Amino acid sequence: MSSVKATEFHFPLDLGAPDGSLEARAPPVDNGLDVPDPSRYYSPEFMQREWARLWPHVWLLAGVASDLPESGDFTLFEHGHEEILLVRQLNDAIKAFFNACPHRGNRVCQVDRGSTSSFTCAFHSWEFGCDGKLKKIVDEETFNPRLIAHRPGLTEIRCEVLAGVIFVNMDGLAPPLKEWLGLPDGYFESYELDKMSVVRHTRSEWQSNWKTGVDTFYESYHLPHIHPQTQGSIEEFSQVDLYKNGFSRMIMWFGIKSHRHIVENERDLDIGVKIMLKDAGVDVDAYQGTIADTRNDIQKAKRERANRLGLTHYEKLTDGQLSDGWITGLFPNVQIGMHAEGVFIMRFVPHATDPNRFYYDNMLLYRHVEDPNYSVPAWMAMPEGVDTTGQTRPPIERWDAGVEPGIGPVLLQDFELVPNVQRGLKSRGFKGPLWSEQEARLRHFHREVDRYISGEK
Amino acid sequence: MLRWASVASLSDLPLGTNRAFKLNGRSILVCNSITGVYAVENKCTHQLAALEGGKLRGHFLFCPKHGAQFDLRTGAPVGPLAKGVIQTFKTRVDKHGKIEIELPDAIGTDAASSVREDEPMSRERANKSIVARFLEEFSTGAVDTTMAMMTEDATWWVAGTMPISGTYDKPAFTRLLSGVLETCTGPIRITPKSYVAEGGHVAVEAESYTQTRSGRTYNNLYHFLFTIRDGKIAGVKEYLDTMHANTILCTP
C-alpha cells in the first residue's frame, strides 16, 4: 500500500526540518488582509513611483561573476531604460557604471558582453578605461577647458558580489548587500552558484506588468490548473517561507505526484517522474518502486552518484535539496529556482515605458560534471547539442514581441496566461487580489513594495 | 591558384595575441588563440576600425573600439552591432613554426611562398607537447608541480569497478595520487608510446613502471584521453588493465 495518502498532506506544508536548518519553516509573518488597489499593476503613475522610489533604492541582480572570468571582461545589464556596464578590473574586483557617455549621453557599450582594454563611444570616439576614467577626448582643444576640467568619466554605481552573483544599487544608499539580503545565513552560498556557468540565457517580452509576472511565479497554487501535465510529478502544496526585507522561498516537492492527483495503480509512474528518475541515473525499466517511493529514490540515487563521482559539493545539500526545487524570491524582481545540478535565475525586468509589458529574463546556470551519466536534467528543457561545459558563454536568445518564445511548454503556459490576467486586472469589476495562504509570498512581496512606494524605506 | 604567404613565426605571436600584416596593400590580422591560428581582414564592419589589438576568446575576436564580436572561423558577426561578415583566410603553421596564410589570387604579394605540404600544426601539436611535459612531470613523483599543470576544475576518471575507479576532482585526485605514491618506493614513471591529437583532445598510449613497498612491480598499459584547455590539462580519462592495478595497488 502506498505510504503517500492524500490525508497526509495538508496546508501549510511543513517539512519538519530543525530550526536553524536552511530547510526549516520560517516563522509566520502577519502581513494583514488589506487588498491592494489593482492600479499598481497598470497605472503609469505607479510605474513612475517605482522608478523614483523603488528601483534606485534596492539591490538589483545585475549578472553573474562567471560571465566575467578575466580582467577587461564586461557585460551589460539592462533594467527598464537604465543600462549598467559591469567590468572586471585588473585587481579582479567588478565595477559598475551607467552606460551613458558623459559627453552627449550615447550608450558607450552597445553589445551584451565582451572583453576590452577600453571603451570608445561610437558617437565622437571619447574613450574610457575599464575603470570608467576618461582616457581621451577627441579634439579636446575645441572644448572650453572649464567645461571638462572635471575629466568626465563614466558614472560609477555601487556594486557588490555575493556567492558569484553581482548586484548593483543605483542611488548608493542601500544597506550593505549582506544586510539587505533577507535570506538566512549561508542559504545563498549553499548552492555554490560561483561554481556554475550560464549555459542558456533567454529574454522574452511578456504582455503584463512585471509584478503580474512575479505573482505568477511566486505561488504553486496554479500548477494543477495552468500546468496540469505536472500533476504526476510535482506536489503543488509547497512549504512557504517568508523572510525579512520581502524575501521568501517555497519548497516544491519534485519527483512525486500531487496529493490531489489520482492514480489507480501505484506502479503506474508518470512520464515526468520517469524523466526525473532517469536524470538521477536510475534504470527506469528495471525500477521496482511505487508512486510513493519515487522522490526518496531520486534522492538516494543522486546521493549515491555524488559519492561515486566524489562530488563534494553535494555534502552541503540536504536530501530534500537533491529532489526538490527551492524556489527563492529575491526582492524585488528575482526568483531563483534552486536545484542541486543547477539553478534558474529569473528576472522580471520592467519595461522602459509601458507598465503593461516586462521582459522575462531566464539564465540557466549549470555546474559541469565530467561524467557520461551526469548531465543537465532533461526537465530543465535544455536544447540538444548545446555546450554545457561552461566553456562557451551562449548569447542571449531574444524573440520579437508577439513571437512565441522557445522557452519550453511549461513556461509557455505562463507566457500565454499573463496577458489575460493583465487585462482582467484593469476591469471595473475587479477589486484587487484576494490572496490565499498558498499565495502568502505575494502579499509579503507587495507589502514590501508598498514600504518603498510610501517612502517608509 | 592559391598561394601560401609566410607572415611570421609563431614564437613572435604569443598565445592570446594578434598582429596585423600588410600583404599587397591589404591589412590582414593574424590571431594566435587557444583554439588555433586564424587570419581575417583587419577591418571591423561596424565603424571600419582596425581589429588589431582586440581581445581573443577562443575562436571569437572582439573589436577593440566598440566591442563588435566576430567568429574567426567564419568571419560572421555575433550580436546586433556589426552587420557585415569579415573576410577570413586559411592558415597553417609549418614545421619551423612559421605561420602561413592562404591567399586568393586577388591578393598578390611578394611575400607569398610556394605551396608546402607540411603537417598543419598548431593547436594539436601544442597540445601534444603539453601532455608530454605533463607526463614527464608526473614521472618525477612531484605531486604539487604535476597538479599545477591541471586546471582548477580538472577531473580525472579511472576506468573500471576497482575501489579506486571513478571520477575525481582535482583535490580528490591529488589525495589519491599522494596515497598511491606513499605505497611505492619511488615515482610512477609513465612512458608515452604514441600520441593522437584532435581539437582539444590528445589520446596517448603509455606504459607505467614502479615498485611497491611490499616488493611488487607495478607495470601497467594505458590509453589516456586528455582534454586540454588554456594550456592546461582539464580532464583525463584513464583506461588501464584494472585487474593488474587492483592486484598490485589495491590489495594489501
Side-chain angles (χ1 to χ4, degrees), chain A residues 123-315:
Chain A
F123 201 172
H124 304 94
S125 290
W126 281 36
E127 204 180 319
F128 308 90
C130 286
D131 57 1
K133 292 205 173 87
L134 178 68
K135 280 175 95 167
K136 192 176 88 185
I137 296 176
V138 173
D139 301 336
E140 185 171 335
E141 65 279 10
T142 65
F143 285 80
N144 185 317
R146 278 181 299 160
L147 191 69
I148 51 170
H150 62 300
R151 311 308 298 163
L154 301 177
T155 303
E156 188 171 349
I157 77 166
R158 225 167 129 211
C159 176
E160 285 191 32
V161 180
L162 183 70
V165 183
I166 308 166
F167 294 84
V168 296
N169 165 232
M170 284 193 270
D171 73 358
L173 301 174
L177 176 64
K178 266 205 116 142
E179 236 170 78
W180 184 84
L181 202 79
L183 299 171
D185 280 348
Y187 183 110
F188 203 58
E189 294 85 347
S190 69
Y191 281 84
E192 299 192 354
L193 273 65
D194 53 326
K195 307 267 169 55
M196 298 179 180
S197 314
V198 177
V199 293
R200 193 174 189 215
H201 191 167
T202 60
R203 189 175 295 163
S204 44
E205 185 182 313
W206 292 29
Q207 304 301 308
S208 84
N209 187 263
W210 69 275
K211 296 186 295 302
T212 313
V214 169
D215 288 0
T216 308
F217 283 78
Y218 256 35
E219 46 91 351
S220 46
Y221 182 29
H222 72 282
L223 246 68
H225 318 290
I226 293 298
H227 313 294
Q229 75 275 28
T230 63
Q231 280 287 280
S233 58
I234 301 177
E235 168 56 54
E236 71 272 11
F237 270 2
S238 301
Q239 175 175 302
V240 174
D241 299 294
L242 307 181
Y243 301 124
K244 65 172 186 178
N245 299 342
F247 285 61
S248 64
R249 184 261 308 266
M250 60 184 176
I251 295 183
M252 285 172 75
W253 282 25
F254 277 53
I256 195 157
K257 73 169 196 70
S258 156
H259 69 281
R260 81 186 67 214
H261 183 58
I262 295 166
V263 176
E264 288 186 3
N265 182 344
E266 64 176 15
R267 298 267 302 118
D268 194 5
L269 300 186
D270 177 81
I271 176 73
V273 166
K274 285 183 184 167
I275 289 171
M276 291 177 195
L277 281 163
K278 190 162 173 282
D279 284 337
V282 174
D283 178 356
V284 176
D285 295 328
Y287 182 68
Q288 293 297 316
T290 73
I291 51 168
D293 306 320
T294 47
R295 175 172 170 268
N296 288 339
D297 288 342
I298 286 167
Q299 294 170 358
K300 260 187 244 163
K302 287 192 183 177
R303 184 71 71 196
E304 280 165 19
R305 179 176 63 183
N307 292 341
R308 192 169 67 245
L309 299 179
L311 306 180
T312 49
H313 59 284
Y314 271 68
E315 290 164 16

Side-chain angles (χ1 to χ4, degrees), chain A residues 71 73 115 120 309 370 391, chain B residues 55 57 62 66 155 167 229:
Chain A
S71 66
D73 288 357
S115 190
T120 304
L309 299 179
E370 184 75 48
Q391 292 188 45
Chain B
K55 290 209 184 184
R57 183 64 42 88
F62 301 104
H66 309 115
T155 57
T167 302
R229 199 176 73 227

Side-chain angles (χ1 to χ4, degrees), chain A residues 374-394:
Chain A
Y374 197 104
S375 59
V376 180
W379 69 266
M380 288 185 172
M382 196 54 204
E384 287 285 319
V386 177
D387 177 17
T388 58
T389 62
Q391 292 188 45
T392 318
R393 204 298 181 185

Side-chain angles (χ1 to χ4, degrees), chain B residues 15-199:
Chain B
L15 193 65
T17 64
N18 53 61
R19 221 165 92 198
F21 295 90
K22 265 276 196 303
L23 289 174
N24 215 28
R26 291 280 292 275
S27 183
I28 295 178
L29 187 71
V30 182
C31 307
N32 183 11
S33 183
I34 191 78
T35 51
V37 176
Y38 306 93
V40 295
E41 193 181 356
N42 182 31
K43 195 200 286 181
C44 181
T45 53
H46 170 229
Q47 285 190 1
L48 310 183
L51 291 165
E52 188 177 25
K55 290 209 184 184
L56 293 165
R57 183 64 42 88
H59 54 265
F60 293 106
L61 171 71
F62 301 104
C63 174
K65 260 274 163 46
H66 309 115
Q69 187 181 344
F70 295 93
D71 187 329
L72 291 167
R73 300 170 302 178
T74 60
V78 180
L81 199 55
K83 304 276 190 287
V85 175
I86 52 172
Q87 191 176 353
T88 59
F89 306 91
K90 280 190 183 157
T91 64
R92 66 182 188 186
V93 180
D94 76 9
K95 62 183 169 200
H96 308 294
K98 275 294 215 183
I99 301 169
E100 297 180 318
I101 301 172
E102 190 184 61
L103 296 178
D105 242 2
I107 308 176
T109 167
D110 301 335
S113 55
S114 59
V115 179
R116 279 191 224 132
E117 298 300 328
D118 298 342
E119 177 195 359
M121 142 137 153
S122 51
R123 183 186 180 198
E124 277 78 11
R125 195 191 293 175
N127 285 349
K128 282 186 206 172
S129 67
I130 289 165
V131 170
R133 283 206 311 276
F134 178 75
L135 292 177
E136 280 169 24
E137 196 60 40
F138 188 100
S139 299
T140 66
V143 176
D144 287 355
T145 49
T146 303
M147 296 313 291
M149 297 182 72
M150 304 190 73
T151 63
E152 281 319 299
D153 60 351
T155 57
W156 191 302
W157 173 83
V158 181
T161 53
M162 305 179 284
I164 59 166
S165 296
T167 302
Y168 296 86
D169 62 15
K170 194 173 173 178
F173 186 75
T174 306
R175 285 194 296 277
L176 175 75
L177 181 58
S178 307
V180 171
L181 284 171
E182 268 173 34
T183 68
C184 300
T185 58
I188 303 172
R189 286 204 312 275
I190 297 185
T191 312
K193 301 291 183 191
S194 69
Y195 289 93
V196 177
E198 187 176 300

Side-chain angles (χ1 to χ4, degrees), chain A residues 408-425:
Chain A
V410 176
L411 291 171
L412 266 184
Q413 290 166 331
D414 295 310
F415 172 80
E416 287 165 3
L417 166 77
V418 299
N420 293 317
V421 177
Q422 184 69 16
R423 278 202 294 276
L425 286 167

